[in-house]
Amino acid sequence: EKIMTIFEKIVAGEIPCNKVLENDKFLAFNDINPKAPIHILIIPKKHFENFQEMDGALMGEMTKFIQEVAVLMGVDKSGYRLVTNCGENGGQEVMHLHFHLLAGAKLGWVDAATDPQSTF
């Protein structure tokens, strides 16, 4: 039997989350360990291990959903960072495609080449 990721358990309603926006295909919720004043995780409800597996047509729909989240959070004009980690070397920890929307402050940049332990 396949072991469900924490995000699949959230989609299934087995684990609660602090929802920001949801529709039939996507879910956005607050990260429990925020790295910025606003830190939202955005996932497709259907399981894709990472960005390399993501369906292009569905990604087009997800783009609109992510834009809606930015508007809802009031950061569509002030700006935000959108990040997805892909695979082990990309720093992916949960093997279910997810985007981090980070905002609410002027975000700095960490050079992953000089600080490989950096989260973003």
Side-chain angles (χ1 to χ4, degrees), residues 7 22 32 43 49 54-55 63 76 78-79 87 92 104 114 117:
F7 294 160
E22 180 178 22
I32 59 169
I43 66 172
E49 185 166 309
M54 182 57 165
D55 173 77
T63 297
D76 53 310
S78 58
Q92 186 177 1
T114 58
Q117 299 309 308

Side-chain angles (χ1 to χ4, degrees), residues 66-78:
I66 293 169
Q67 291 166 341
E68 280 181 56
V69 171
V71 169
L72 186 66
M73 297 309 297
V75 298
D76 53 310
K77 302 283 193 282
S78 58

